[in-house]
Amino acid sequence: MEEPLQISLFPLLLLLQSLLVLSLEYSVPDKYFINCGSKTNAGDNFVAESSIRFRFPKDSFTDAEDNKSSTAPPLYRTARIFPSSSTYKFGVDQRGYHLVRLHFYAFSSSRNLSATARFDVSVPGFWLLRNFTLEKYSNSARVEEFYLNIDNDSFQIDFRPLESHIAFVNAIELFRLPDNFISDDFTGDIHISSSVLHTSYRLNVGGPELNKTEDDELRRNWEEDDQYAINGIKYESSINLKYKGDDSSYVGLAATKFIGPDPVYRTARVMNSKSEMDTDLFNITWKLGVKRNTTYFVRAHFYDVTSTPVGILKFSLYTYNNMRQLIKSEFDQNAVPFPFYYDFVVDSDEWEIMNITVGPDKSSTIKNAFLNGLEVMEITNTRGPSSVKEPPNQSHLHLKQGLGFGALAVICILVGLILFRKFRKDEFGKTLDWSPLNAKGGGSSHGRRGSSHGSSIANLNLGLKISFQEIQSATNNFHRKRIIGKGGFGNVYKGNLKNGLKVAVKRCEPGSSGQGLPEFQAEIMVLSRIRHRHLVSLIGYCDERSEMILVYEYMEKGTLRDHLYNSNLPSLSWKQRLEICIGAARGLNYLHKGAAGGIIHRDVKSTNILLDENHIAKVADFGLSRTGSLDQQQPHVTTGVKGTFGYLDPEYFRSQQLTEKSDVYSFGVVLLEVLCARPAIAVDPAIPREQANLAEWGIFCKNKGTLEEIIDPTIKSQIDPKSLRRFCETVEKCVQDDGCERPAMGDVLWDLEYSLQLQRGARVRKVEDDSSSTASASLQLANVRRLPSLSSLDETDDMAILKIDESGSAVGSVFSQMKFDDDRAFGLFQIETRDSYTVQRI
C-alpha cells in the first residue's frame, strides 16, 4: 500500500508571512500630486488637474503664464483661480497622519496674482492659512506644509478669498505618512493628533540644502543651517548608516529613512576644537525666528559621527538656556551607531527668537556635542469651519428660507426674554458679577463666541463696537507699514479714526495658536468696566466677519522694554524710571483694591507696560486677567497656570493658586529689569547659565553685596544711594519665593514713592519760612516710616479722587499719621505729586 503524499505547510507559511511583511512596508503613495489649473502633467510626480474629477464653482477658472520661455518651473506656470469660496475634495484610502503641501507662485500672467490674491485656507475643523498673500512678486515658490490626522474617508481643502480679492493655488500634495511618524506619548496635555503642525524650519545641520525629490522620499526640503547656527563646525561622515528603526526588536526613538534621510544623518555640526571641548560653558546654539507666545513641536535628529566605539557620548540639549534632555549617543551590541531622534514641545516667549542649544555634560568623560538635523513646527489648535457650504439646490431654496425665518423668530423671542429678565434684575438693584470665562472656545465665525455660560456677545459692551469697515479705513486696510507690534494675539497696527483720534488696533490672527476668544472677551469685559489714568483705555472692539479686533488709545512711546534694552531709543533717567514704576504700581494697585472687585492681571511684564508721549506708564493686555471676590477666607483663585516664563510666580506655578501676590512677584522682576536693563530670561548663549534668570541672579548679587555691578551703567552715576537701597529692598520683598512674605501692591507703591523722594532729596518744611512751628524745618522725609499713598485709596477711579491738571500733577487731601524717629505727628496734610512731593503741615 502506497504511503499517502505528505506536504509540509511550514515553508508555505513562511513565504506567506514574508509576503505579508513586504505588503505592510510603507511606501510613499502615488496620490495626490496635482498640477492645479493644468491639462498636462508636470515632471514625474504631478498629474494634470483635469485628469481628476474636481467640482468647482462656475466662476472658478485657470490661468497660465504668458511667457513660456520663463525660468519658472513647469509646475508653477498654471494656477487654479477662485473668485469665490471653493473646495478640493479627496477620497481617503487609509486614515491616519497625512502631509499636505500647498504651492504658491506669483508667475507673470495676464493677472497680477501677487496684488489681487488675499485669502484663507481651511480643512475640516482647522484654519491652515489666514489672510494669506504673496506680498510681492518673487521668482521662487512659496510652499506651506502641514501635518494633520485624517480620521474620515474623505477630506477637503477650502479656499476662501477675502472681500474684493481672489484665491489661487499652483499645486497640491496630499498623502499618508508612515505609522508612528508622530506620537502623542511625549506631549503631556498637548495632543498632537488633534492639532495641525505647520512647518516653520527643517534644517540639514552641518550639511547642504537637500533636493526634496532626490534626497528625501517624503519630498521634504532641508535647508542649510549656516544663517542660524552660532559656534560649531561642519562635519561629514562616510560611514554606512544602519537604521535601527527598521529592526522590530528595538523599541524607542530609533529613526527610519522616513524620519530622516541618509544625507541628514551623514552631516553634523560639532564642537570646534579640543580646547573648546574642555570648556564646560561652550555650546552650539541655533537662533530661530518664531511667533510670540506660541507652542512649537520640535524634532532633533542625532547620529554619532564623531565618537569611537569605546564609549558612549553624553551631552545636554537646552531650549531657552533651560535643560531639556540628556542625549546619549546610541550604539548596538556590536558598537555600531544608528540614527535616533527626540521630540519635544516648546512654548516661545515674547522675544520672537527660539534658542536650541547642545553642550557637553559635566559628568561625561568625552567633552563634545553634536546635532544632525532640526525640525520646528507650529502647533495650531485654532478651530476653523467644518466645511464650505455648496450653493443650495433651487428646489430646496424656499424650504431653507422658511426654516431660516422660523429660526430667526425663535432666536428673537429668546433674546427678548433674556433681556427682559436682565432688566428686571437690574431694576431691583442686584449686582451682576462677572465670573471667569470658559477657557475652551470652539466652533467658528460668530458661533465661536459661545461658552459654557451661554453667548458672551450679550455680555459685551455694545456701545464700544466699531465697524470693520471703519477699522479697515483707519489702518489703510491693515497695511503692513502700519504694524507697530506683534504678540500672541496677532499684529498691532497704528490707526486714525474718523474723528482724528490716534489708536492702536490689535487684530487677532485666527490661524495662530496664541491667544484667542477667551482673551478677547476678557479684555473687553475688564476694560469696559474700569477706567484709570495708569491703565490703557479700550476705545472699542469689532467682532464682525469672524474677526476679533481690539482698539486702544495709542501709546506714543511704546513699551517699557523698548526703552531699557535691545533698541536704539534714548536711555531713560533713573528719575523717569522710578516715575514709570510708580505709575504702573498705581494701575496694578487699583486692579487689586479698587472698586473693580479684585482683578489679578496674571501677565505683568515690561512689554505690557506702555508709555504715552509724556512717558506716563499704563498697564496693558488684560487677556489673561482673572477676577473674583478675594478675601481672607479665600485669598486665591485656583486656575491653570498662565503667564510668561521669567515673570511667573513660582508659588503659583507649584500650587496653581493665583493670588494678588503673583502680580507682585512679576512686578518685582520688572523692577529688576528697570534697574539692570536686562531681560527677565537671558537669550544670549554667551551669558552663564546661573545668570540667565534675572530674578535669581539679582537676589544672588544683592545678598553677595555686588548688585551695583549689574546696574545699568547709563544710570549708575545718577542714583542716590538711599534711593537705591530702598528700591533694592522693595525688589527683594517682591520676589520672595513664599507669597505671604511679599508685600501688597499698595505697600510696593508706597516704597517706590519713598525711593523717589529720597532721589529728589525731598524734605518736610514749614508753611512759612519764618515759622517757629515745632515741626523742624530741616526734618527729612527719610525719617518718615509710613505715608499713605493717594494711589492706595480704595476708590472707583483716581480721576475722581484727584484733581488732574493739564501738566499731569495730582493734588488731594488726606488724613495721615506720620511716625518719626522721636515723636508722633498727627494732622491734615496736603500732598502734591509729580514734580515735588513736598509735605506741608496745615
Side-chain angles (χ1 to χ4, degrees), residues 90-150:
F90 307 91
V92 176
D93 296 333
Q94 191 176 3
R95 301 181 183 185
Y97 253 102
H98 283 66
L99 186 146
V100 175
R101 286 195 192 100
L102 305 176
H103 296 252
F104 306 97
Y105 192 93
F107 57 77
S108 299
S109 70
S110 57
R111 299 171 181 86
N112 186 358
L113 295 181
S114 61
T116 58
R118 188 180 296 272
F119 53 94
D120 300 335
V121 182
S122 65
V123 296
F126 294 96
W127 293 107
L128 298 186
L129 301 171
R130 297 306 307 270
N131 198 25
F132 179 81
T133 183
L134 296 179
E135 296 183 356
K136 60 182 179 179
Y137 180 83
S138 174
N139 291 323
S140 61
R142 181 169 173 180
V143 181
E144 300 291 340
E145 183 182 88
F146 306 88
Y147 294 84
L148 49 87
N149 189 31
I150 298 179

Side-chain angles (χ1 to χ4, degrees), residues 638-837:
T638 301
T639 178
V641 176
K642 287 190 177 182
T644 300
F645 189 69
Y647 300 89
L648 197 61
D649 170 15
E651 185 178 61
Y652 169 40
F653 182 80
R654 292 191 302 267
S655 66
Q656 297 191 24
Q657 293 184 348
L658 179 69
T659 71
E660 295 171 353
K661 299 298 182 68
S662 300
D663 281 352
V664 173
Y665 180 91
S666 303
F667 189 64
V669 179
V670 172
L671 296 179
L672 266 176
E673 280 187 273
V674 168
L675 180 65
C676 304
R678 291 175 54 171
I681 296 294
V683 295
D684 187 352
I687 294 178
R689 291 168 193 160
E690 64 270 15
Q691 301 181 20
N693 186 300
L694 180 59
E696 295 176 359
W697 180 240
I699 296 304
F700 174 81
C701 291
K702 184 182 184 301
N703 294 336
K704 194 177 178 181
T706 60
L707 185 60
E708 291 189 8
E709 296 178 8
I710 65 172
I711 294 176
D712 182 3
T714 65
I715 60 169
K716 187 177 294 186
S717 61
Q718 305 173 13
I719 307 178
D720 178 85
K722 294 181 180 179
S723 174
L724 176 62
R725 183 169 57 252
R726 175 49 65 99
F727 187 88
C728 294
E729 290 171 354
T730 305
V731 172
E732 184 177 28
K733 290 185 289 186
C734 288
V735 296
Q736 290 295 311
D737 191 68
D738 192 344
C740 66
E741 296 180 3
R742 301 174 203 148
M745 189 57 69
D747 296 322
V748 175
L749 173 57
W750 190 90
D751 285 338
L752 291 174
E753 289 175 332
Y754 186 18
S755 181
L756 180 60
Q757 301 320 303
L758 294 172
Q759 180 66 28
R760 287 173 169 166
R763 58 188 177 89
V764 178
R765 57 184 174 84
K766 298 176 293 184
V767 177
E768 299 178 3
D769 293 340
D770 56 352
S771 172
S772 58
S773 171
T774 57
S776 172
S778 60
L779 186 61
Q780 299 296 314
L781 190 59
N783 294 324
V784 181
R785 297 285 180 85
R786 182 72 182 171
L787 175 63
S789 164
L790 290 177
S791 305
S792 66
L793 294 179
D794 185 14
E795 297 289 347
T796 59
D797 192 337
D798 72 344
M799 306 260 209
I801 306 168
L802 308 177
K803 182 186 295 182
I804 310 285
D805 62 21
E806 294 181 357
S807 66
S809 64
V811 180
S813 297
V814 295
F815 282 100
S816 168
Q817 176 178 330
M818 301 179 66
K819 183 177 180 181
F820 300 92
D821 284 343
D822 300 324
D823 60 356
R824 293 177 179 269
F826 297 86
L828 181 65
F829 292 83
Q830 179 174 323
I831 305 173
E832 182 177 341
T833 64
R834 188 171 173 79
D835 294 327
S836 64
Y837 274 69

Side-chain angles (χ1 to χ4, degrees), residues 426-713:
D426 290 346
E427 283 291 292
F428 286 95
K430 294 183 179 180
T431 302
L432 301 178
D433 293 331
W434 176 70
S435 58
L437 295 168
N438 183 7
K440 296 181 180 180
S444 63
S445 189
H446 293 288
R448 299 181 349 177
R449 314 261 188 250
S451 72
S452 62
H453 303 285
S455 175
S456 61
I457 287 294
N459 296 327
L460 300 184
N461 190 334
L462 299 180
L464 293 176
K465 290 195 70 170
I466 301 177
S467 70
F468 182 74
Q469 182 178 3
E470 182 174 357
I471 294 176
Q472 272 187 311
S473 175
T475 58
N476 192 17
N477 196 22
F478 302 101
H479 196 283
R480 63 179 182 274
K481 291 185 178 179
R482 293 291 189 99
I483 296 177
I484 57 176
K486 185 173 184 179
F489 191 87
N491 288 333
V492 182
Y493 302 82
K494 181 179 180 180
N496 293 280
L497 297 180
K498 293 178 180 179
N499 59 7
L501 182 66
K502 291 182 180 180
V503 292
V505 177
K506 185 160 67 173
R507 185 187 192 191
C508 179
E509 184 178 346
S512 70
S513 60
Q515 296 170 324
L517 174 63
E519 290 78 7
F520 175 73
Q521 294 174 318
E523 192 98 355
I524 297 171
M525 298 180 77
V526 170
L527 287 180
S528 63
R529 293 181 55 198
I530 59 178
R531 188 72 62 175
H532 191 279
R533 184 174 185 237
H534 292 289
L535 301 179
V536 70
S537 296
L538 180 70
I539 305 300
Y541 71 93
C542 173
D543 62 349
E544 300 175 17
R545 309 181 188 180
S546 301
E547 295 279 356
M548 291 186 287
I549 301 174
L550 297 165
V551 182
Y552 306 92
E553 61 176 317
Y554 179 67
M555 302 296 286
E556 186 76 35
K557 299 296 185 181
T559 71
L560 171 59
R561 189 192 73 177
D562 292 338
H563 295 264
L564 295 178
Y565 45 85
N566 294 338
S567 75
N568 296 322
L569 297 174
S571 175
L572 296 170
S573 68
W574 176 239
K575 176 174 171 289
Q576 284 179 309
R577 298 186 194 200
L578 280 174
E579 290 175 338
I580 289 169
C581 292
I582 289 170
R586 286 174 178 162
L588 291 171
N589 187 54
Y590 171 71
L591 287 178
H592 292 178
K593 301 300 182 184
I599 296 175
I600 304 173
H601 188 281
R602 203 159 55 149
D603 199 19
V604 177
K605 54 186 177 182
S606 57
T607 52
N608 284 341
I609 297 175
L610 307 182
L611 308 178
D612 69 7
E613 65 277 7
N614 296 317
H615 291 95
I616 301 298
K618 302 194 179 191
V619 180
D621 200 343
F622 297 85
L624 298 182
S625 298
R626 292 298 298 266
T627 186
S629 55
L630 301 178
D631 50 37
Q632 292 182 351
Q633 287 73 32
Q634 186 68 20
H636 67 266
V637 176
T638 301
T639 178
V641 176
K642 287 190 177 182
T644 300
F645 189 69
Y647 300 89
L648 197 61
D649 170 15
E651 185 178 61
Y652 169 40
F653 182 80
R654 292 191 302 267
S655 66
Q656 297 191 24
Q657 293 184 348
L658 179 69
T659 71
E660 295 171 353
K661 299 298 182 68
S662 300
D663 281 352
V664 173
Y665 180 91
S666 303
F667 189 64
V669 179
V670 172
L671 296 179
L672 266 176
E673 280 187 273
V674 168
L675 180 65
C676 304
R678 291 175 54 171
I681 296 294
V683 295
D684 187 352
I687 294 178
R689 291 168 193 160
E690 64 270 15
Q691 301 181 20
N693 186 300
L694 180 59
E696 295 176 359
W697 180 240
I699 296 304
F700 174 81
C701 291
K702 184 182 184 301
N703 294 336
K704 194 177 178 181
T706 60
L707 185 60
E708 291 189 8
E709 296 178 8
I710 65 172
I711 294 176
D712 182 3

Side-chain angles (χ1 to χ4, degrees), residues 156-396:
Q156 64 188 54
I157 304 176
D158 302 327
F159 292 81
R160 299 186 179 190
L162 301 184
E163 186 176 0
S164 303
H165 291 85
I166 62 171
F168 81 99
V169 62
N170 298 88
I172 297 176
E173 297 178 63
L174 170 65
F175 59 88
R176 191 179 182 278
L177 294 167
D179 292 332
N180 301 320
F181 187 80
I182 296 175
S183 172
D184 271 333
D185 294 343
F186 70 97
T187 55
D189 295 335
I190 299 177
H191 298 290
I192 301 295
S193 59
S194 59
S195 307
V196 171
L197 302 181
H198 185 186
T199 302
S200 300
Y201 296 94
R202 184 177 290 114
L203 306 181
N204 181 23
V205 175
E209 181 177 356
L210 300 183
N211 185 292
K212 61 185 178 183
T213 57
E214 297 177 1
D215 300 315
D216 191 318
E217 295 200 36
L218 295 183
R219 301 173 51 82
R220 293 168 295 187
N221 184 59
W222 299 75
E223 63 174 316
E224 293 180 296
D225 72 322
D226 291 1
Q227 61 178 310
Y228 309 107
I230 301 175
N231 299 331
I233 58 173
K234 296 181 177 181
Y235 187 96
E236 184 174 0
S237 172
S238 58
I239 189 173
N240 292 325
L241 268 72
K242 179 181 179 181
Y243 283 100
K244 196 71 172 179
D246 293 333
D247 184 353
S248 60
S249 65
Y250 181 84
V251 179
L253 292 174
T256 68
K257 62 182 179 180
F258 300 110
I259 295 293
D262 285 14
V264 169
Y265 292 118
R266 292 187 190 278
T267 59
R269 189 173 291 273
V270 301
M271 297 176 68
N272 288 355
S273 64
K274 188 178 186 306
S275 61
E276 290 170 334
M277 293 177 189
D278 293 335
T279 303
D280 289 339
L281 296 179
F282 180 82
N283 54 42
I284 312 172
T285 297
W286 290 263
K287 287 182 173 289
L288 308 171
V290 293
K291 295 180 180 179
R292 293 182 182 179
N293 305 318
T294 301
T295 304
Y296 287 88
F297 171 89
V298 179
R299 173 167 288 177
H301 298 262
F302 301 94
Y303 176 65
D304 194 346
V305 296
T306 63
S307 295
T308 59
V310 295
I312 297 179
L313 175 64
K314 291 193 301 182
F315 58 94
S316 300
L317 172 69
Y318 303 87
T319 58
Y320 292 105
N321 297 325
N322 297 301
M323 174 67 172
R324 169 67 64 172
Q325 181 74 45
L326 180 65
I327 307 297
K328 297 181 180 180
S329 60
E330 300 289 351
F331 293 80
D332 66 12
Q333 59 183 358
N334 297 318
V336 177
F338 57 85
F340 62 100
Y341 66 98
Y342 283 98
D343 291 340
F344 51 93
V345 170
V346 180
D347 290 323
S348 66
D349 58 17
E350 73 276 10
W351 287 93
E352 300 182 347
I353 296 292
M354 178 185 293
N355 290 343
I356 307 291
T357 301
V358 293
D361 183 69
K362 295 181 179 179
S363 64
S364 178
T365 57
I366 305 174
K367 299 295 184 181
N368 201 352
F370 65 89
L371 183 66
N372 299 78
L374 187 64
E375 297 179 80
V376 179
M377 307 176 195
E378 179 187 351
I379 300 177
T380 300
N381 294 309
T382 306
R383 293 293 172 179
S386 58
S387 64
V388 171
K389 302 298 183 182
E390 295 183 355
N393 293 332
Q394 194 65 30
S395 59
H396 298 140

